[in-house]
Amino acid sequence: MNKIYLAGYFRQNFGDDLFVKVIANQHPSSLITVLVEPQYSKVYNEIKNIKVIKYTIFKRILNKVLSLIGNENFLEKKIIAQSDIIVEIGGSIFQQNGDETITFRRESYLKSGKPIFIIGSNFGPYVSENYYKAYRRYFCLTKGVVFRDRTSLALFNQLSNVSVAPDVVLGLTVNDSSLKVYKHKKKIAVVSVINVVDKMNEDRSDIIQKKYDKKISELILGLVMHNYEVILFGFSRAEHDVFAAERIKNSLPIETKEFVSIKSHEYIDDSLKLMNDADILFSSRFHSMILGWKLQIPQYVFVYSKKTKNVIDDLFPAQASVDITKIDDIGAETLIKGVNTIDKKLLNTAEENARKQFKFLESFLN
C-alpha cells in the first residue's frame, strides 16, 4: 500500500474537497493522509482511504514551542516521515504574498527527500522575477507538476516534468443514482456567491463588492419573477461566502425573501446533489463553473480572476461570462436568458484529458 501525504487548502472549501475526493477515487488502494483543523475534518469521514490527522490546539501549541528551539513544522515533518510520497493539490496555491519566494513548508518537503508531485494548480499572480525563478528551481526538483491552464504551462514549458491538463474536478466520477433528480414544484436556480473583498486584491474591491451585491440582488428579483426558487450557495464558510449570501438576502424585499434560501457546503455528496438539482446556475466560484460543465447545467459565469478566464479560454471560449468589475454593465434579464454550458463532445474530451493531471504520479507508482 502506498502512503501519500496530501497537502492542500483543507478548510471545508467545496472545490478543494472535490480534489480530495477525486484523488481518493483515483488511488483507492493508497492510504492518503491529510492534516486538517478539527472543525473542517468531518467532510472527509465519507472517504474510506483518507486518514485525517486533526491539527488540534494542543498540537498547534506543541508545534509553536518546538519551532522556538529550531524544530519548525514538527507535526507535518512527522507525517511526511511516515509517508512514501508528497502530493500537493490545489488551485491557486502559487500566488505571491509580499516578498516571499519558496515557503518554509515547501523547503521542508525538499529536505525530506520524498518524491514530490503537484497536481491541479495554476501559477500566480506573482510580481517579482525572484518568485518565478525560485519556483522554477522548485519545480525542477519535483517528480512532476501538472497545471490546469496553458498560461501557467507557458511559464515553465521548458521543463520536461511540467505539463497541463483540464481541472481535476472534470475527472470526477459521478454516481448518477446518488444524484437522481426529483420533480420540483418550482424551478431551481443556484447562485454561487463570493465575498469579493476576500477574493480580490484590489484597492477598489469594496466598490466592486457593492456593485456585485447589487447585481446579485437584481438577478434574484428577476429569477423570482421567472418562477425560480433561488438557492444562494456558499462553497466556503471560511472565506465568508455565507456571510455574503446573508448580506445579499437581507437587502431583498420581504416578499422576495421567502423564495430565497442559503446553503453552505458541509458534505461533498450533499453539495453535489444540490448543484445537480439546479435548473440554472450562476457561478462566481471557479469550481461552480467546472461543475456547471460537468453536470451540464446552463450557467452564466462571474469572472473575478484570471484563473477563471484562462480556463474558459482553454476549454470553452463561448461560455457566457462577465468580468466582475464590469458586472453593473449587464442586466439581470440578459444574465438569465444568456446562460449556456459546454457541449457534450467537448466535455467528454475535457473529462478524458483531466485524468492526465495524475500522469506523473501514476507513472511513478506503476
Side-chain angles (χ1 to χ4, degrees), residues 139 213 253 264 313:
F139 294 153
D213 287 6
S264 178
D313 290 345

Side-chain angles (χ1 to χ4, degrees), residues 6-24 34 36 40 43-44 47 50 88-93 95 119-122 148 167-169 172 199 235-236 238-239 241 265 268 285-288 291 304 307:
L6 188 65
Y9 180 84
F10 305 133
R11 304 191 72 195
Q12 207 168 319
N13 178 302
F14 187 28
D16 291 285
D17 291 345
L18 286 169
F19 283 159
V20 178
K21 184 178 178 70
V22 173
I23 192 170
V34 295
V36 186
Y40 303 123
V43 70
Y44 305 116
I47 307 176
I50 295 292
E88 191 170 6
I89 194 167
S92 302
I93 56 176
Q95 300 181 82
I119 292 171
S121 71
N122 44 266
R148 65 182 179 187
D167 187 81
V168 168
V169 174
L172 177 69
K199 299 301 293 179
F235 272 47
S236 172
E239 294 181 3
D241 290 8
H265 165 61
I268 297 169
R285 280 278 179 181
F286 177 87
H287 278 107
S288 178
L291 285 172
Y304 74 85
K307 69 177 182 181

Side-chain angles (χ1 to χ4, degrees), residues 5 15 39 56-57 70 84 95 145 160 183 196 202 213 226 234 236 251 266 277 290 292 296 310 322 333 337 362 365:
Y5 172 58
Q39 66 268 34
T56 61
I57 293 175
D84 304 314
Q95 300 181 82
V145 179
S160 61
K183 291 183 178 179
V196 173
E202 292 195 20
D213 287 6
H226 281 276
S236 172
S251 73
E266 291 188 27
D277 286 344
I290 296 296
Q296 292 282 273
N310 290 341
V322 60
E333 196 66 16
K337 291 183 176 178
E362 288 178 351
L365 292 176

Side-chain angles (χ1 to χ4, degrees), residues 88 91 93-95 102 106 110 116-119 121-124 126 131-147 152-153 155-163 360:
E88 191 170 6
I93 56 176
F94 296 108
Q95 300 181 82
I102 297 293
R106 289 179 177 130
L110 291 175
I116 302 167
F117 297 87
I118 296 162
I119 292 171
S121 71
N122 44 266
F123 190 81
Y126 69 99
Y131 184 86
Y132 165 74
K133 288 180 178 178
Y135 273 100
R136 188 179 183 281
R137 167 186 166 270
Y138 180 67
F139 294 153
C140 280
L141 298 173
T142 69
K143 293 294 183 181
V145 179
V146 184
F147 290 118
S152 297
L153 174 67
L155 294 168
F156 303 96
N157 60 7
Q158 68 274 38
L159 303 181
S160 61
N161 65 331
V162 173
S163 187
F360 292 119

Side-chain angles (χ1 to χ4, degrees), residues 69-83:
I69 58 173
N71 192 358
E72 295 185 74
N73 215 21
F74 167 78
L75 181 57
E76 193 174 38
K77 287 179 179 177
K78 183 178 178 181
I79 297 169
I80 290 170
Q82 297 170 349
S83 303

